[in-house]
Amino acid sequence: MSIQKEWLDFLREQYPVGSRIKLREMGSDDPCPIKPGATGTLQYIDDMGTFFVAWDNGRGLGLVIGQDSFTVSPPPLQTLKLYMPLTVGYYVNEDGCGWSDEEYTMGTSEAVGCAPQIINALRSEHRWLENAGPEEMERGLMAYYDELDGVERKVQSYWLTAEVRDGRLWGVAECRVRGELTPDELQALKDDVEGQAADGLGENFEQRGIRIGDEQEVYVHLWQSEGWSIQTEQERFGPEQAQDGPRQVQGGLELA
């Protein structure tokens, strides 16, 4: 027998897959119960509201609110990286007669050589957030996400940076995420990052010259109108996992 859809939706929203479970006491008559104090990871909540848990001792056994007493802690925060191609432009001094009107695009290996300065410049570009208030400092560019949806709840923060990968310099959105994003949520996050790269922070950033050495300045474009896309690490580079190792976060809610 299933429970009301509204209650089920609430449970699944409040306690996403990956939440950590700690058992206080099993109230059901299972012939081989899980011992109090055992911990595990939430796999899913079925249509009856049963919490199915992968216990750290290797067992798999469900818990029922009202019968079993347990606590639920939020899933660990993980890092999700979204990669986008960037270009590095520069101007030349034409025979000492002044700088060219045309911007030239730097080659791949030359751009990689500028990576430290570009990464530092992107870090500095975010420093204006320090004067915008505590939420902006904690959430970065997510502070300007204007939808009340799963992305707003699951993505704690994201920042724009750069990274050398496979011999090329890429723009990167480093996102701190709690739980799993649905395909629609991932696309909404990508759309927001694209907006920041094209019209937000990226638009301001590409107008600031970055000093390379004593004489050269370069201009970095995180977005281009052609040949541009934004992808996860797995989508862009293959089978490698896009998230770093989990980090336990304090907090939780006791259920009985």
Side-chain angles (χ1 to χ4, degrees):
M1 181 178 179
S2 61
I3 63 176
Q4 290 186 351
K5 182 179 184 300
E6 292 78 7
W7 175 239
L8 185 62
D9 290 343
F10 171 80
L11 289 177
R12 288 171 173 167
E13 179 179 313
Q14 290 295 113
Y15 313 118
V17 171
S19 295
R20 291 291 293 171
I21 307 293
K22 184 174 183 179
L23 180 65
R24 297 184 64 199
E25 184 180 8
M26 289 199 73
S28 57
D29 297 328
D30 192 279
C32 187
I34 302 291
K35 293 182 178 181
T39 56
T41 301
L42 178 64
Q43 292 184 301
Y44 65 95
I45 301 174
D46 71 5
D47 290 344
M48 296 181 65
T50 301
F51 285 58
F52 280 88
V53 181
W55 296 97
D56 295 342
N57 62 11
R59 293 191 61 192
L61 189 64
L63 300 174
V64 179
I65 297 176
Q67 296 182 19
D68 305 307
S69 179
F70 57 99
T71 61
V72 183
S73 297
L77 281 171
Q78 298 178 324
T79 297
L80 170 68
K81 292 183 178 181
L82 300 176
Y83 288 81
M84 63 200 86
L86 61 75
T87 58
V88 181
Y90 65 97
Y91 296 87
V92 297
N93 192 335
E94 298 176 329
D95 299 325
C97 297
W99 295 99
S100 61
D101 294 329
E102 179 183 357
E103 182 183 88
Y104 295 87
T105 299
M106 187 172 284
T108 301
S109 60
E110 292 177 291
V112 167
C114 299
Q117 294 93 333
I118 291 171
I119 292 170
N120 285 335
L122 276 166
R123 187 177 295 117
S124 297
E125 190 69 21
H126 288 85
R127 286 179 182 157
W128 60 272
L129 291 169
E130 296 176 1
N131 300 319
E135 182 182 6
E136 286 83 355
M137 289 186 64
E138 180 180 355
R139 304 202 72 192
L141 297 174
M142 266 303 295
Y144 304 100
Y145 187 83
D146 57 4
E147 298 292 337
L148 297 177
D149 58 7
V151 176
E152 197 278 333
R153 291 189 298 271
K154 295 178 183 179
V155 182
Q156 176 175 305
S157 64
Y158 79 79
W159 310 82
L160 295 181
T161 184
E163 180 181 314
V164 176
R165 184 69 180 270
D166 289 356
R168 179 175 175 180
L169 184 62
W170 299 87
V172 182
E174 288 193 352
C175 315
R176 295 296 283 170
V177 181
R178 195 187 307 278
E180 297 181 3
L181 297 176
T182 67
D184 287 345
E185 289 168 348
L186 177 59
Q187 186 58 54
L189 176 59
K190 288 179 177 179
D191 291 343
D192 194 73
V193 173
E194 179 177 358
Q196 284 289 350
D199 302 316
L201 183 145
E203 183 177 24
N204 292 325
F205 184 65
E206 69 181 0
Q207 299 175 40
R208 305 185 193 281
I210 301 170
R211 176 70 66 179
I212 306 294
D214 294 332
E215 297 182 1
Q216 188 178 31
E217 280 191 341
V218 300
Y219 297 82
V220 177
H221 307 282
L222 293 171
W223 182 87
Q224 302 91 44
S225 60
E226 297 181 0
W228 190 92
S229 63
I230 182 167
Q231 295 179 303
T232 66
E233 184 172 5
Q234 186 173 9
E235 291 169 339
R236 179 73 70 182
F237 300 109
E240 295 97 344
Q241 293 297 318
Q243 296 176 335
D244 65 6
R247 176 173 62 86
Q248 190 64 44
V249 178
Q250 297 297 319
L253 179 66
E254 181 175 307
L255 299 173

